[in-house]
Amino acid sequence: MEPRQLLKCFWQLLHVLRIAGVQTLAVIFVSAAFGRLALMIGARGCGASVGWYDLYFWIFLAVGLIATFISLYYIFRPSVWIVTVERRLVMSTTDASLPFYSTSPVFVFLDAVLFIPAFALLQAGRSESMCQFNSEWAFGWAFFLMAVLFPLVRTVSWFGLKRQIDARRIEIPWATLIMWWVLVVPITVYLTFTYLDKNVFPRLRVPVVNELTFKGGLKQNPRFMAGIVRVQGKLVREIAKCGLFGKDPEKSPYPSGTVLLDMGKGNGQIMVKANRPHLVDQLEIEAENKKDKYFEAFGRLTSLPNPAKKLVCGIGKADDEQKGGLALLEIEMPID
């Protein structure tokens, strides 16, 4: 390609950025709003953890809807955009007027860039069952559906509704679209992988403690005390909250709380402890309506009874003489 033509393609990227940039804003902010909404109303059997006064939700929703409206407007109302570039910038004797459609069937190649993070975020959200990841679950589904929405609407509008501009024929800017892919796809892949590596992969890398891997209890599996683990068991006692000592529970949050998990026949039990007020609140939401059901949590394991842990909330109701023993999981999220 001649340098002059290459420069024209580069300046046409301004139109591509106009289309792809606004759509990306729409997808991200609408998805973020749905992520907050999942926390506000509860999802997947979990209780609500955020009230309707949540400012983030309303900001995300407003920005997302505005960006979505702008994107859809130029799909249903196709326009011809012109960018005028000074002759020196395109190595020409005259200024260049570069036309560009606001929509075209081939622009699905622009939309397809969002499929890269969409599939990754969808799988990341679906892989988690804990209530505290409801936001990621809803965000992933919303991101995927929004990423599918734009190419679908673009195709239906063009071929089904015949929303085209027939008065003027504009050549498909293949070179510009290819240039966009060459520039943006590596960045998108890098950002997607960086997000997963920081926020998702650390949770997948930790050892899993469940009925199959915890045979005989903690004494038979001391390897699980080496770091953060993911415990999966049956909830046999809902949350016990301690530590206010005369304070009003309506005004002061509880600083400590525990639930009790059964790890299977002969494997003993694990007491899951939250030692900060916000963790106690989260633990209560996680345990709500899950009695005798599957429950999981992240943290560090130690054995009980333990002189250093003798004041564990609710320990008096647990049997430390049972076969497999009693262990303590202090909640802590894995970080990379």
Side-chain angles (χ1 to χ4, degrees), residues 17-268:
L17 182 61
R18 183 178 178 180
I19 295 171
V22 176
Q23 285 184 193
T24 301
L25 284 178
V27 172
I28 292 176
F29 278 90
V30 168
S31 301
F34 272 89
R36 300 300 295 184
L37 183 63
L39 299 179
M40 294 164 66
I41 65 176
R44 302 185 296 174
C46 302
S49 58
V50 177
W52 284 96
Y53 55 82
D54 184 67
L55 182 61
Y56 290 108
F57 168 74
W58 297 109
I59 292 176
F60 293 155
L61 183 64
V63 175
L65 290 179
I66 292 172
T68 301
F69 173 80
I70 294 173
S71 297
L72 294 179
Y73 178 83
Y74 285 110
I75 291 176
F76 289 114
R77 298 286 299 262
S79 304
V80 178
W81 296 337
I82 303 293
V83 59
T84 301
V85 184
E86 190 177 347
R87 59 181 181 273
R88 289 176 297 178
L89 298 178
V90 290
M91 301 172 59
S92 176
T93 56
T94 59
D95 294 344
S97 295
L98 307 177
F100 205 84
Y101 260 162
S102 68
T103 185
S104 168
V106 299
F107 286 0
V108 296
F109 290 102
L110 297 180
D111 305 328
V113 174
L114 289 175
F115 289 166
I116 299 172
F119 282 112
L121 293 171
L122 176 63
Q123 293 303 318
R126 291 176 60 197
S127 68
E128 297 291 356
S129 61
M130 295 174 65
C131 294
Q132 71 182 92
F133 298 118
N134 275 345
S135 178
E136 285 87 341
W137 172 79
F139 185 91
W141 270 108
F143 198 104
F144 176 77
L145 293 175
M146 287 291 291
V148 172
L149 170 69
F150 286 112
L152 179 63
V153 170
R154 195 184 304 280
T155 303
V156 171
S157 174
W158 189 274
F159 293 109
L161 303 179
K162 303 297 183 182
R163 307 297 292 178
Q164 307 171 10
I165 299 179
D166 297 323
R168 180 171 184 175
R169 179 177 179 83
I170 296 180
E171 295 294 329
I172 297 174
W174 287 111
T176 302
L177 298 180
I178 293 173
M179 184 181 295
W180 175 258
W181 264 66
V182 170
L183 292 174
V184 173
V185 169
I187 297 175
T188 304
V189 171
Y190 172 77
L191 292 177
T192 301
F193 178 81
T194 300
Y195 171 82
L196 295 176
D197 192 51
K198 182 178 180 181
N199 298 281
V200 179
F201 293 157
R203 302 198 296 265
L204 301 179
R205 295 183 186 123
V206 301
V208 176
V209 178
N210 56 29
E211 185 175 358
L212 296 177
T213 64
F214 204 56
K215 293 296 184 182
L218 188 59
K219 288 185 178 179
Q220 301 300 319
N221 300 277
R223 66 186 186 280
F224 289 129
M225 292 191 289
I228 296 177
V229 296
R230 184 180 197 142
V231 168
Q232 301 170 339
K234 183 175 73 171
L235 186 70
V236 294
R237 178 178 61 72
E238 295 179 339
I239 191 165
K241 297 186 286 187
C242 308
L244 285 184
F245 305 112
K247 296 181 180 179
D248 184 355
E250 297 296 327
K251 297 180 180 179
S252 301
Y254 285 92
S256 180
T258 62
V259 298
L260 192 62
L261 306 183
D262 183 78
M263 301 306 295
K265 187 176 181 180
N267 298 341

